[in-house]
Amino acid sequence: MKKILVATDKPFAKVASDQIKAIFAKANYNCVFLEKYTQQSDFILAVEDVDAVIIRSDKVDKDVIENGRNLKIVVRAGAGYDNVDLAAATEKGVVVMNTPGQNSNAVAELVFGMVVFQLRNHFDGSSGTELKDKKLGIHAYGNVGKNVARIAKGFGMQVFAFDPFVSKQEIEKDGVTVVESVEELYKTCQFVSLHIPATAQTKKSINHQLLSSMPSNAVLINTARKEVINEEDLKQIFAERKDFCYVSDIQPDCAAELTEYSKRLFFSPKKMGAQTEEANINAGIAAANQIIAFFENNDIRFKVN
Ligand code: 3PG
C-alpha cells in the first residue's frame, strides 16, 4: 500500500483535508498528516517511509529528499516551488510537481481586500481614496496576474502588465495594456501588483530604482514572495517618500524597522494569500489526484524538474 504524507506547517482547512483523505482512501492509499510542526527535523523524520509528499510552503531541502528512502514524488499544492531543492530531487530521481492556477483566485481577491483596507485608512473613520480610474501595473501575467486584472477591471481601474514570457496578444485579449519594460510599468502605474516567482534572477530585483520611479501616492502590493524585494532599498524608499505605501500578504524580514511608517500593511509572518477553504480544496484535491495519476498511469503532466 502506498503511503502519502501531507506535510503542512500551515494546515489546509479541515474541509480540504477531509477531501484529500477521501481521495486517497478510495485509491486504497495510506494518507498521514504532519501539521503545524515547528522543527524541520519532524518533517525529515516523517518522510522516512513514505512514497509521496504533499506540501505547501514547507521546505523540501536535501535532508528531506535524502531521508525519503521510498520517496518518488513531491507535489507542492500551490504555484511557487522555490521552497523545493529541485537539484537534490532530480539527482535522486524524485519527481516534483506543482498545481498551477488552483489557488490563484484566493490570492487575487486578497490583493484587493488588502488594498481597499489600506486606502480607507484601516477604517479609522478618516477619508480614504478609491481605485476607480487609477493605473494598476501587473508585474508578471500568470494565473494570479490574470485574476488580478479581471477584478481590477471590475473596480474600473486602467490595467497595464509586463511579462516577457506571455505573448502580447494573450494579455491584450483581456483588455490589458502591455508595456515594453519593467521600468515603464513602474513609471506608469500608481499601483503595482507583484506576481513574479522567486528565482536567482528575481530575488531582490524590486529595488530603489524601480520604486523611486513610481508616480505619487505609489502603492506596491506584494503577494508574490518577500524575497523579491530588496529590503534595504524598501527601507530607504520609506525614509525618502512619505507618499509610498507597501502592502503584502507576508511580513518582510525588516518589518520591525518599518513600524514608524503608517503606509504599510502586512499581518503575518506566514503567507496568507492562498489561505481560503476554496483554494485549499482546489490545490489539495489537485495534488492528491496528481499523485494517484503518477503512480497509476505514470502521468507527469505537472512535473517541474
Ligand atoms: C503559492 O505559491 O501557491 C502561494 O504562495 C501559496 O502558498 P501557501 O500554500 O503556503 O499558502
Side-chain angles (χ1 to χ4, degrees), residues 10 56-58 76-81 103 107 223-225 271-275:
K10 186 174 62 197
R56 295 185 63 185
S57 290
D58 307 80
R76 195 281 190 240
Y81 44 88
N103 59 17
V107 181
T223 54
R225 289 289 180 271
K271 268 191 83 61
M272 280 297 131
Q275 196 62 325

Side-chain angles (χ1 to χ4, degrees), residues 94-108:
V94 174
V95 168
V96 180
M97 294 185 186
N98 65 349
T99 64
Q102 300 292 348
N103 59 17
S104 47
N105 183 64
V107 181

Side-chain angles (χ1 to χ4, degrees), residues 15-28:
V15 61
S17 309
D18 287 348
Q19 293 191 40
I20 294 168
K21 279 180 206 157
I23 288 170
F24 284 126
K26 195 165 170 225
N28 207 22

Side-chain angles (χ1 to χ4, degrees), residues 238-264:
F238 266 110
E240 288 170 5
R241 287 187 66 164
K242 292 277 164 286
D243 66 328
F244 177 81
C245 178
Y246 182 60
V247 170
S248 179
D249 70 337
I250 184 167
Q251 271 180 14
D253 292 335
C254 65
E257 293 168 73
L258 300 177
T259 49
E260 68 183 278
Y261 305 108
S262 61
K263 285 181 174 274
R264 59 176 169 84

Side-chain angles (χ1 to χ4, degrees), residues 70-135:
N70 303 332
L71 192 61
K72 315 280 182 318
I73 177 168
V74 173
V75 181
R76 195 281 190 240
Y81 44 88
D82 47 304
N83 48 327
V84 181
D85 186 335
L86 287 189
T90 305
E91 198 185 316
K92 231 189 131 221
V94 174
V95 168
V96 180
M97 294 185 186
N98 65 349
T99 64
Q102 300 292 348
N103 59 17
S104 47
N105 183 64
V107 181
E109 286 190 12
L110 190 66
V111 166
F112 293 92
M114 293 191 301
V115 168
V116 170
F117 183 63
Q118 178 62 27
L119 293 186
R120 296 300 182 97
N121 306 322
H122 304 192
F123 308 145
D124 68 356
S126 63
S127 296
T129 54
E130 301 181 19
L131 290 173
K132 188 165 177 288
D133 297 330
K134 306 279 166 53
K135 289 180 178 161

